[in-house]
């Protein structure tokens, strides 16, 4: 019995799927690096208003999946559909417009350290600004700065707007990065290990914030996590990856320790256990 | 079973280090041979230097003490030093726009495609390879003797040097902010303006100040070929065998170079470059 066989593939709770539109659908995503398969026909879906946790051991393809979805990596095969529009198959101005609907929050935050938190948040809107209003922060329209302040307010960082990003703590920087994603007006937020470098309190705050954006604003949010407890507390649904495939897809509330064990230590799973 | 403690057994001895590897030996031999050839090619001869001590003593006898007469030597020397400073300043600042433009095209992180990248790299290599003195000689024939030719020469050469150094600085940045903005749909120019350039500002300013320092010294040499400034006065003094005047000019040059060096170092320290 393979580890994949021992984990379950249950449908997400109907309430979660039906709660929102299918914001993101990934079908048969494949990606190899130097002959090593990292993603192996990965299927994934994410609904508006849903907070999805992606779990799995290091190297199982979680981050690569997110990078393929946002276009930072080119998949070898497979399709990515955002709100019914297939990326790569769209024509004219559609690809950029569709790309902007998906924002990414990174583990290393990726803010410009010397720029203020506000300028970093404004930078999330660059894709929809004309060039003449976007070549320097001083040229940003007043309306954008106000919108960026509202985004900072949403993540509880409005009082640090003028502070250079490099002077903020890790948790504060991550919240500014989330505000940047909000300023992008993205409908889908993908977070790649957003709390791996944070202390438990800051991690709780950031994941709570992401969950709030899904549940209160109706955004589709997926976060790669290495803390099953955080996933259980905040996520609606958990997808577990093993060797580049989704081997677990279930409502967070129904998961048990055995499910996590299968993801992180598949070889040690008791052979006699039946799939649920 | 691992107990978490170190084994009481004696660990195996580390491999013996060779005094010199065959590759290192070959490199050393090549370097020594190159120096031997260079010694021969340049007719390097400490003995000839010792034998020529009398000529050196004559020169020093004529050069010292320096001529410090205010109206005839010192005042013209200070005025020429200011022109030298101005040549270095304009030669540096006016090379910033072309250097920045070419650097953006010559950095892998910002170049639109590899053809543009290769073309920009080639232009920078050419500008860097041609010495500023050669550019000055060309411009003297075009715009005549004087500091303007020096400024033009420095702009071209400095564009090549700064463009290459800036392009390399841009290639070494953390690509994360670039990726974050790319995901948001930012264009190449927007990414350069908001992710690449802000990350390299300290290196840019540091290199700019260093090049100002170098350019002031270069503009002295440019004066020797007719591009104005204090180098021109040094050249005149040598041609007229007025070595005492020449020493005065060199003292002014030294003061100028030290002042620029100190200023440049101070500003670089303040900005953490």
């Amino acid at each position: 019995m393979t580890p994949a066989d021992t984990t379950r593939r249950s449908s997400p709770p109907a309430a979660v799927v039906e709660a929102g539109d299918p914001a993101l659908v990934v079908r048969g995503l494949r990606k190899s690096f130097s002959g090593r398969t990292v993603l192996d026909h990965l299927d994934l879906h994410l609904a508006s208003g849903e907070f999805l946790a992606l779990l799995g051991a290091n190297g199982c393809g979680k981050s690569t999946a997110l990078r393929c979805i946002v276009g930072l990596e080119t998949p070898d095969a497979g399709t990515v559909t955002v709100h019914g529009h297939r990326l790569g198959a769209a024509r004219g101005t559609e690809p950029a417009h569709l790309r902007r609907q998906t924002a990414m929050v990174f583990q290393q935050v990726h803010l410009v350290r010397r720029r203020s938190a506000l300028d970093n948040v404004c930078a999330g809107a660059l894709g929809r600004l004309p060039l003449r209003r976007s070549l320097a922060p001083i040229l940003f329209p007043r309306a954008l700065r106000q919108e960026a302040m509202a985004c900072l307010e949403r993540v509880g960082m409005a009082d640090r707007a003028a502070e250079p990003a490099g002077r903020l703590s890790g948790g504060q920087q991550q919240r500014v990065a989330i505000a940047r994603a909000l300023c992008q007006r993205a409908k889908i937020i993908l977070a790649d290990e957003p709390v791996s470098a944070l202390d438990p309190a800051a991690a709780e705050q950031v994941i709570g914030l992401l969950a709030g954006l899904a549940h209160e604003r109706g955004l589709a949010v997926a976060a790669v996590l290495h803390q099953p407890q955080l996933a259980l507390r905040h996520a609606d649904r958990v997808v577990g990856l093993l060797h580049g495939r989704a081997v677990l897809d279930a409502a967070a509330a129904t998961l048990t320790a055995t499910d996590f064990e299968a993801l992180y230590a598949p070889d040690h799973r008791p052979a006699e256990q039946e799939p649920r | 079973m691992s107990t978490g403690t170190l084994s009481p057994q004696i660990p195996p001895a580390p491999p013996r280090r060779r005094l010199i590897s065959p590759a290192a030996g070959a490199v050393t031999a090549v370097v020594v041979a190159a120096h031997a050839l260079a010694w021969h090619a340049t007719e390097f001869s400490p003995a000839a230097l010792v034998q020529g001590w009398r000529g050196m003593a004559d020169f020093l006898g004529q050069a010292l003490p320096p001529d410090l007469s205010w109206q005839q030597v010192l005042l013209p020397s200070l005025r020429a030093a200011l022109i030298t400073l101005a040549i270095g300043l304009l030669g540096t600042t006016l090379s910033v726009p072309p250097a920045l433009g070419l650097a953006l095209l010559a950095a892998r992180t910002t170049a639109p495609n590899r053809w543009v990248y290769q073309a920009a790299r080639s232009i920078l290599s050419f500008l860097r390879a041609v010495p500023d003195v050669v550019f000055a000689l060309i411009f003297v024939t075009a715009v005549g003797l004087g500091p303007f030719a020096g400024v033009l020469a420095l702009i071209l050469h400095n564009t090549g040097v700064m463009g290459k150094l800036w392009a390399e600085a841009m290639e070494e940045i953390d690509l994360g902010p670039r990726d974050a903005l790319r995901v948001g749909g930012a264009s190449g120019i927007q990414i350069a303006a908001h992710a690449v350039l802000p990350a390299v500002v300290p290196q840019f300013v540091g290199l700019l100040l260093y090049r100002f320092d170098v350019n002031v010294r270069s503009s002295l040499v440019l004066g020797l070929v007719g591009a104005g400034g204090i180098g021109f006065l040094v050249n005149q003094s040598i041609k007229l065998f007025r070595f005492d005047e020449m020493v005065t000019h060199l003292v002014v040059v030294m003061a100028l170079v030290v002042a620029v060096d100190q200023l440049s170092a101070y500003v670089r320290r303040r900005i953490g470059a």
Side-chain angles (χ1 to χ4, degrees), chain A residues 100 110 112 114-115 126 134 140 180, chain B residues 176 180 184-185 190 193-194 198 202:
Chain A
R100 284 205 296 274
H110 295 338
V112 178
R114 287 176 171 267
R115 291 253 170 109
L126 285 173
S134 65
F140 288 152
R180 178 174 62 188
Chain B
Q190 289 172 327
H194 293 281

Side-chain angles (χ1 to χ4, degrees), chain A residues 74-251:
Chain A
T74 308
D76 300 332
T79 60
V80 175
T81 307
V82 172
H83 287 291
H85 297 273
R86 192 172 146 182
L87 293 184
R91 292 284 181 272
T93 57
E94 260 196 322
H97 165 70
L98 288 175
R99 288 280 181 214
R100 284 205 296 274
Q101 292 196 18
T102 309
M104 189 146 167
V105 174
F106 299 83
Q107 180 189 357
Q108 293 90 359
V109 184
H110 295 338
L111 298 174
V112 178
R113 298 174 59 80
R114 287 176 171 267
R115 291 253 170 109
S116 69
L118 182 65
D119 287 344
N120 270 287
V121 174
C122 286
L126 285 173
R128 62 173 193 273
L129 282 183
L131 193 60
R132 63 188 169 81
R133 299 308 303 266
S134 65
L135 281 178
I138 200 168
L139 300 173
F140 288 152
R142 177 185 287 266
L144 172 61
R145 300 182 81 79
Q146 285 170 343
E147 183 181 345
M149 278 305 292
C151 296
L152 281 170
E153 179 73 35
R154 176 65 187 83
V155 300
M157 288 295 295
D159 57 331
R160 310 295 295 273
E163 197 100 4
R167 283 204 208 141
L168 301 173
S169 70
Q172 290 170 336
Q173 288 188 28
Q174 199 56 282
R175 284 192 277 156
V176 172
I178 293 169
R180 178 174 62 188
L182 292 178
C183 200
Q184 187 182 320
R185 296 183 189 165
K187 293 178 179 152
I188 302 165
I189 295 180
L190 305 177
D192 186 11
E193 301 192 30
V195 296
S196 291
L198 304 185
D199 65 57
E204 187 73 32
Q205 208 172 21
V206 167
I207 294 302
L209 179 61
L210 288 170
L213 292 175
H215 300 146
E216 293 158 24
R217 284 205 175 192
L219 302 182
V221 181
V224 170
L225 293 176
H226 276 304
Q227 298 89 343
Q229 290 308 317
L230 276 178
L232 288 176
R233 269 202 300 280
H234 295 283
D236 301 308
R237 189 160 58 97
V238 171
V239 167
L241 265 63
L242 187 66
H243 306 312
R245 278 173 173 263
V247 294
L248 169 74
D249 188 343

